[in-house]
Amino acid sequence: MKKSKLFAITSIISFTILILANSSLGSAMYQQGSNIASTTEEDLFESIDAPETFNTTFLNNVTYGPSVKKDAKLKWKVGHYEKTDNFHIAEGDKNIKNGDNIILQIGTDPYLQLPNVDAWCQIYVNDVMARYPNLNTRIYAVFKYILPITLDLSEHGINYTSYFSYLETSVAVDKSYWTFENDKVTYNCTTITEVNNVTDISMVYDRETGIMDKMFYSASFTNTTGHFAGVNFTLTRLHGWGLPYNISTLVVWIPIFIFVVGLIVAIRIHAFQRFKLYLEARKIVKRAE
């Protein structure tokens, strides 16, 4: 038997074994998850809270970055996601899962109704609007994703050059939750209600725009039946072409540019006609043989 045929047969057998092993492992993991779910009598639901530092009475005195404008659509994607079957994370009244998109749709100019966040900004999970139990909860939900870039409290004798400078210097803010850098600001909070009931959240904001770039969330609980429930996931901001915020759109535009230039050059030098003539010449040669 030729070496090439032997190699091909060996590759096919190895690939088949790998598929079967992967399927068996996935089935085992599913059975384990199903067993956990079947032994529980109570589902656990968790909503994601915004940092509890933004005073809604300040809403008349804020300024947003240029990305927060009429008809703008800001998008985040749920990436790595793990949870037990009896634990659910919700945004508004919508349970979120791996691959979901969280979208902030700005319908009107924020500065026409500045303090009324609910009037100019809506949150969607994929294409469905998320609804909240009350107005304050909805306002705080928005401020998970966008924070002001300036805050004017001059009527109180204070004028902060940015909202983050307010967080960094105000005596009214607990600095233990915040880490300030030149280009980003990070909010970290760990809540422990019991030994096994722990929630960790980290939000990374772009300091210049006030927009959240990343969220890392982890929660673990023991419910009333004594069974474990928990979830871990990441949320990453997207920009053009659905790329993560920290990947330049040049990775899309450069190949498109090269393709267009190559197409123009091919047309100019009649490359397609020449290739067609070459194929026809080969056919004539084969017939002559």
Side-chain angles (χ1 to χ4, degrees):
M1 184 180 293
K2 293 183 179 180
K3 291 183 178 180
S4 58
K5 289 184 177 180
L6 180 62
F7 176 76
I9 294 173
T10 305
S11 299
I12 292 171
I13 293 173
S14 300
F15 184 69
T16 304
I17 292 173
L18 182 62
I19 292 175
L20 291 174
N22 187 56
S23 300
S24 300
L25 179 61
S27 177
M29 293 177 66
Y30 174 79
Q31 291 296 331
Q32 182 181 5
S34 299
N35 290 337
I36 292 175
S38 63
T39 56
T40 58
E41 299 175 1
E42 179 183 340
D43 282 346
L44 295 177
F45 292 86
E46 182 83 354
S47 60
I48 309 166
D49 294 326
E52 295 293 333
T53 54
F54 192 82
N55 188 333
T56 55
T57 61
F58 294 165
L59 291 177
N60 282 304
N61 306 298
V62 301
T63 302
Y64 297 99
S67 299
V68 183
K69 60 185 178 181
K70 180 181 178 181
D71 297 329
K73 183 182 288 187
L74 306 176
K75 183 182 289 186
W76 291 259
K77 190 176 187 67
V78 179
H80 175 74
Y81 191 91
E82 299 175 329
K83 76 177 183 69
T84 54
D85 290 340
N86 59 324
F87 192 93
H88 305 277
I89 289 287
E91 182 60 89
D93 59 342
K94 303 291 180 287
N95 292 343
I96 60 177
K97 60 185 183 302
N98 189 42
D100 279 351
N101 290 319
I102 309 297
I103 300 168
L104 258 66
Q105 178 66 56
I106 301 173
T108 61
D109 182 357
Y111 294 97
L112 296 178
Q113 304 181 73
L114 194 57
N116 303 318
V117 175
D118 58 304
W120 54 264
C121 187
Q122 303 284 351
I123 296 179
Y124 289 80
V125 177
N126 298 320
D127 297 324
V128 182
M129 185 188 300
R131 301 184 183 278
Y132 299 87
N134 55 63
L135 181 59
N136 281 340
T137 304
R138 180 171 170 179
I139 291 173
Y140 278 119
V142 172
F143 286 110
K144 285 197 296 284
Y145 303 105
I146 52 173
L147 291 175
I149 58 171
T150 61
L151 178 62
D152 182 9
L153 297 180
S154 55
E155 71 272 20
H156 301 296
I158 303 172
N159 189 8
Y160 294 99
T161 56
S162 73
Y163 179 63
F164 293 117
S165 71
Y166 161 75
L167 295 178
E168 193 170 9
T169 59
S170 173
V171 295
V173 177
D174 187 345
K175 310 301 187 302
S176 64
Y177 295 114
W178 296 90
T179 302
F180 300 91
E181 301 178 45
N182 290 333
D183 58 344
K184 65 181 180 180
V185 177
T186 304
Y187 172 80
N188 292 284
C189 182
T190 299
T191 304
I192 303 175
T193 54
E194 295 179 22
V195 176
N196 295 322
N197 294 4
V198 182
T199 300
D200 286 302
I201 186 167
S202 175
M203 302 177 184
V204 182
Y205 294 91
D206 182 274
R207 186 156 190 162
E208 182 179 355
T209 64
I211 298 176
M212 186 183 75
D213 288 334
K214 292 181 180 179
M215 177 193 293
F216 306 93
Y217 193 89
S218 175
S220 59
F221 290 86
T222 302
N223 62 18
T224 55
T225 64
H227 293 93
F228 173 79
V231 67
N232 296 280
F233 79 91
T234 61
L235 196 65
T236 304
R237 180 163 66 100
L238 304 181
H239 65 98
W241 305 92
L243 297 170
Y245 73 98
N246 56 351
I247 296 179
S248 171
T249 53
L250 289 176
V251 300
V252 175
W253 284 113
I254 289 177
I256 291 176
F257 175 76
I258 293 173
F259 173 78
V260 171
V261 170
L263 182 61
I264 293 173
V265 171
I267 293 173
R268 292 293 299 272
I269 66 175
H270 306 289
F272 297 111
Q273 292 88 333
R274 293 183 181 183
F275 183 67
K276 183 177 179 180
L277 290 173
Y278 167 74
L279 294 178
E280 291 176 351
R282 284 189 61 184
K283 289 180 182 179
I284 293 173
V285 171
K286 286 184 178 180
R287 289 173 185 170
E289 293 175 352

